[in-house]
Amino acid sequence: GKEGLKEVYNDTLKYSGILMGFASEHVVSVLGKEWTEEYLKKRVKRGINARIIMPQTEIIEKDYFLRDREQLRSSKLVDPKKYPFSIEVNIYGYSKIALMSSREETAVIIESSEIYNTMKLIFELLWDNLSEIRIEDRKTYIA
C-alpha cells in the first residue's frame, strides 16, 4: 500500500552516494505532491545526488527537470510514447534495488551486490547513450 511505498522511498534516504534510477510521474498522483516534495527536500538536505532517466512529460519537465539543480539531480529524458515507464526503479546503497509500482501500490527492495552491480551497469549503459539536454533545448529533445 501507500505506507509501504513511502517506507521504500524513505529507505533510499539512509545511504550516501548517488541514487540512480528510472522515474515515473505516477508516484505523485498516488502519494501526493506534498509528500513527494517533502521526500525531495529530505534527499537534498542529506546531500544525496541523483541521476534519473524519466519520460519527457509536461509534469516531469515543469515540476522536476527544470528544478534539477536545486534538487541535486541530473536528468535525461526519453520519449514517453516510446518508453512509457510506469514503475520506478532506484539503484542505491551499494547493494539495493527498489522496484516501486505506484499504480498497484506495491514495492520491493532487493539487497544483492550482484543484482545491484548488473542494474547499475544497465543504467550506466543507457545513461551513456542518451544525449545531454540543456534546459533551453528541452522542447525540441526526444531520445
Side-chain angles (χ1 to χ4, degrees):
K2 289 179 187 177
E3 292 308 311
L5 282 169
K6 290 176 183 179
E7 277 185 52
V8 172
Y9 278 103
N10 285 327
D11 190 66
T12 68
L13 300 175
K14 297 176 183 176
Y15 301 90
S16 61
I18 294 178
L19 172 70
M20 295 166 281
F22 302 91
S24 162
E25 66 187 41
H26 300 292
V27 68
V28 178
S29 63
V30 173
L31 297 181
K33 189 163 176 81
E34 185 177 314
W35 188 89
T36 306
E37 289 295 321
E38 191 59 36
Y39 166 81
L40 290 169
K41 285 178 188 174
K42 288 176 185 176
R43 187 177 57 71
V44 168
K45 186 175 181 181
R46 288 174 171 82
I48 300 169
N49 288 286
R51 290 193 303 150
I52 306 295
I53 297 171
M54 50 191 167
Q56 186 179 6
T57 65
E58 186 177 331
I59 291 170
I60 295 281
E61 275 194 317
K62 186 179 85 179
D63 293 341
Y64 299 97
F65 180 73
L66 293 176
R67 296 169 56 203
D68 267 5
R69 224 177 252 140
E70 74 183 74
Q71 292 180 346
L72 301 180
R73 181 180 49 244
S74 295
S75 298
K76 291 198 177 181
L77 304 177
V78 296
D79 182 344
K81 290 182 177 101
K82 201 171 181 183
Y83 307 104
F85 299 145
S86 63
I87 69 165
E88 293 207 12
V89 178
N90 286 336
I91 305 160
Y92 67 102
Y94 307 104
S95 68
K96 290 192 171 191
I97 312 306
L99 305 168
M100 298 161 281
S101 169
S102 51
R103 285 183 180 166
E104 295 178 351
E105 295 186 14
T106 188
V108 64
I109 296 173
I110 299 169
E111 189 164 3
S112 161
S113 57
E114 186 175 22
I115 294 171
Y116 170 89
N117 289 333
T118 299
M119 289 300 296
K120 183 178 176 190
L121 289 172
I122 291 168
F123 177 87
E124 295 291 356
L125 174 67
L126 293 171
W127 185 268
D128 290 346
N129 285 286
L130 287 172
S131 300
E132 292 288 336
I133 176 173
R134 297 181 315 227
I135 288 177
E136 57 272 11
D137 295 337
R138 75 185 180 282
K139 291 296 181 196
T140 59
Y141 171 82
I142 298 282

